[in-house]
């Protein structure tokens, strides 16, 4: 039984989430359980039988994530996966059958078009609409599942989760929310009515760029039973070391998120004054198109800032000139990263579009580096 974190502040909850009851002379967070099988004499029973089904290290991590996603709520399950895409796939492919319809965002994560092709190959109808303006409502009738990504990646548009959930449930559809960019400290989809909160733990949840992980948190019942069965069939399970590293990293989540979110706002404000920067987006900016809706459902606005430079060449010179920022994909790490997102070919963005993930560096150092790199790249 884990220690209760109900009623505590977010920092206290993050530090203590998922910890087992203290045992004299035992570590506060037990090390990873490396086991493909467990002692199992006689009839099958108990929580741990085979390494593809359950692992004690997963159990503690799943409790921790559940306490962050829905503190104080009963009747929920969390399941961890080998990656964010494994978690996403588990929901989509466990809930949908040939002849069903699903609504996806057309401006979401760049692997979603690959998912769409596979869904359609299985005889599932896929409808798409933009995140902004709750446009997915227009194609919702008759759908079995609504998939929301808010804020969207990489455009940072936001939709009204409560409104979409109410409309979907009225029509008999389940709702899954990709909570990767927000993290549980920025947004709690289950409290807003969603059936599933899904995320890549690779990003800000673990925050060090050294773990691939995903998870699904949902309400107990047939839907989550199907997700669990999908994990067992596909075997998309995390290694115990990755699960342990993730749990260890969650202890600093609030510290990292607060620092990164605050610096992201400082950086976005600094970029507003640059004539060579267009299309600047950050939901925390009061004049951002997403700010009003975001402020109604988010407690923090994320660590990602996006903007466009005049050309592909200018963006590449800018990225080369940065000293404190790695040119790398992904986001949410303690070390700032940035990339010209169009190089992957899966996002409908301009050639000079930059997705910038703010790390935990001193804000004055990071802003100075960015402004200097902008100046140097303009020459």
């Amino acid at each position: 039984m884990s220690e209760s974190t109900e009623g505590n502040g977010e920092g206290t909850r993050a530090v203590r989430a998922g910890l087992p009851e203290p045992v004299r002379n035992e570590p506060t967070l037990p090390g990873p359980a490396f086991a493909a099988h467990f002692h199992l004499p006689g009839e099958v029973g108990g929580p741990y039988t085979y390494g593809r089904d359950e692992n004690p290290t997963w159990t503690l991590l799943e409790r921790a994530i559940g306490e962050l996603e829905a503190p104080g709520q009963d009747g929920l399950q969390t399941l961890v996966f080998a990656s964010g895409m494994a978690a996403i796939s588990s929901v989509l492919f466990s809930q949908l059958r040939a002849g069903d319809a699903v609504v996806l965002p057309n401006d979401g994560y760049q692997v979603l078009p690959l998912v769409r092709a596979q869904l359609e190959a299985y005889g599932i109808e896929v409808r798409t609409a933009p995140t902004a303006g709750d446009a997915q409502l227009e194609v919702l009738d008759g759908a079995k599942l609504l998939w929301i990504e808010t804020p969207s990646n990489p455009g940072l548009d936001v939709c009204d989760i409560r409104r979409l959930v109410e409309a979907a449930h009225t029509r008999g559809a389940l709702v899954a929310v990709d909570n990767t960019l927000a993290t549980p400290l920025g947004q709690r989809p289950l409290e807003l009515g969603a059936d599933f909160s899904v995320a890549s733990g690779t990003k800000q949840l673990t925050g060090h760029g050294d773990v691939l992980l995903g998870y699904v948190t949902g309400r107990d019942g047939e839907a989550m039973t199907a997700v669990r069965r999908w994990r067992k069939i596909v075997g998309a399970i995390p290694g115990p070391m990755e699960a342990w590293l993730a749990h260890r990293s969650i202890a600093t989540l609030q510290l990292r998120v607060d620092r990164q979110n605050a610096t992201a706002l400082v950086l976005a404000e600094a970029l507003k004054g640059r004539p060579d920067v267009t299309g600047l987006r950050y939901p925390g900016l009061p004049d951002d198109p997403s700010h009003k809706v975001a402020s109604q459902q988010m407690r923090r606005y994320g660590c990602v800032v996006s903007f466009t430079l005049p050309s592909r060449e200018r963006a590449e010179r800018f990225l080369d000139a940065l000293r404190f920022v790695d040119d790398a994909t992904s986001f949410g790490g303690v070390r700032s990263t940035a990339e010209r997102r169009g190089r992957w070919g899966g996002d409908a963005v301009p050639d000079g579009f930059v997705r910038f993930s703010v790390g935990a560096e001193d804000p004055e150092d990071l802003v100075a580096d960015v402004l200097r790199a902008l100046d140097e790249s303009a020459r």
Side-chain angles (χ1 to χ4, degrees), residues 187-205:
Q187 179 172 271
R188 295 179 189 150
L190 297 177
E191 291 184 356
L192 299 172
D195 300 288
F196 304 98
S197 182
V198 187
S200 168
T202 308
K203 312 297 194 298
Q204 198 171 20
L205 184 81

Side-chain angles (χ1 to χ4, degrees), residues 208-228:
H208 291 78
D210 54 8
V211 171
L212 284 173
L213 193 88
Y215 70 86
V216 179
T217 300
R219 307 183 190 285
D220 281 338
E222 291 182 9
M224 282 301 290
T225 297
V227 174
R228 182 183 292 274

Side-chain angles (χ1 to χ4, degrees), residues 52 58 61-62 65 77-92 94-95 196-202 205-206 211-218 223-240 242-243 246:
R52 191 181 66 251
W58 303 352
L61 174 60
E62 289 168 346
I65 293 172
Q77 289 187 56
T78 297
L79 298 171
V80 290
F81 290 81
S83 68
M85 278 309 304
I88 290 170
S89 300
S90 76
V91 174
L92 291 169
S94 71
Q95 304 304 311
F196 304 98
S197 182
V198 187
S200 168
T202 308
L205 184 81
T206 55
V211 171
L212 284 173
L213 193 88
Y215 70 86
V216 179
T217 300
M224 282 301 290
T225 297
V227 174
R228 182 183 292 274
R229 184 170 60 247
W230 181 263
R231 184 178 71 173
K232 178 182 177 71
I233 293 169
V234 177
I237 58 172
E242 286 78 8

Side-chain angles (χ1 to χ4, degrees), residues 43-331:
E43 295 298 320
V44 174
Y48 305 110
T49 58
Y50 186 63
R52 191 181 66 251
D53 297 329
E54 292 291 350
N55 179 287
T57 310
W58 303 352
T59 299
L60 297 180
L61 174 60
E62 289 168 346
R63 287 176 182 169
I65 293 172
E67 289 171 15
L68 298 179
E69 281 282 352
Q73 288 193 37
D74 296 324
L76 300 173
Q77 289 187 56
T78 297
L79 298 171
V80 290
F81 290 81
S83 68
M85 278 309 304
I88 290 170
S89 300
S90 76
V91 174
L92 291 169
F93 292 105
S94 71
Q95 304 304 311
L96 298 168
R97 303 288 183 272
D100 289 340
V102 61
V103 177
L104 303 179
N106 65 9
D107 54 349
Y109 182 47
Q110 56 111 358
V111 181
L112 286 180
L114 297 178
V115 174
R116 174 178 185 164
Q118 192 62 55
L119 289 168
E120 290 175 336
Y122 289 158
I124 297 163
E125 178 190 354
V126 179
R127 308 170 189 167
T128 62
T131 298
D134 301 341
Q136 289 173 295
L137 287 173
E138 299 173 11
V139 294
L140 188 54
D141 284 351
K144 173 73 177 297
L145 176 67
L146 169 63
W147 189 275
I148 296 171
E149 186 177 303
T150 180
S152 62
N153 171 30
L156 303 182
D157 278 319
V158 171
C159 60
D160 186 333
I161 295 176
R162 291 185 186 89
R163 183 186 180 202
L164 287 167
V165 165
E166 182 178 349
H169 285 172
T170 299
R171 292 164 171 81
L174 296 168
V175 180
V177 178
D178 187 327
N179 205 35
T180 302
L181 203 146
T183 81
L185 296 194
Q187 179 172 271
R188 295 179 189 150
L190 297 177
E191 291 184 356
L192 299 172
D195 300 288
F196 304 98
S197 182
V198 187
S200 168
T202 308
K203 312 297 194 298
Q204 198 171 20
L205 184 81
T206 55
H208 291 78
D210 54 8
V211 171
L212 284 173
L213 193 88
Y215 70 86
V216 179
T217 300
R219 307 183 190 285
D220 281 338
E222 291 182 9
M224 282 301 290
T225 297
V227 174
R228 182 183 292 274
R229 184 170 60 247
W230 181 263
R231 184 178 71 173
K232 178 182 177 71
I233 293 169
V234 177
I237 58 172
M241 190 66 190
E242 286 78 8
W244 183 85
L245 285 169
H247 197 170
R248 181 208 61 173
S249 299
I250 285 174
T252 62
L253 180 60
Q254 190 217 28
L255 300 174
R256 293 184 281 105
V257 164
D258 282 350
R259 175 62 171 260
Q260 290 170 265
N261 281 229
T263 304
L265 181 58
V266 171
L267 176 63
E269 291 282 5
L271 291 172
K272 284 176 65 175
R274 297 284 309 200
D276 47 355
V277 170
T278 59
L280 175 67
R281 297 298 304 272
Y282 182 65
L285 287 171
D287 57 350
D288 186 273
S290 294
H291 182 74
K292 181 178 179 181
V293 175
S295 64
Q296 293 169 355
Q297 64 192 25
M298 299 183 74
R299 303 188 311 285
R300 295 170 177 84
Y301 299 106
C303 63
V304 176
V305 178
S306 67
F307 55 92
T308 300
L309 295 175
S311 67
R312 168 179 177 166
E313 294 73 21
R314 174 69 190 284
E316 290 174 346
R317 292 198 303 271
F318 165 70
L319 294 169
D320 287 342
L322 291 165
R323 296 172 182 166
F324 298 141
V325 183
D326 296 330
D327 190 342
T329 195
S330 197
F331 57 85

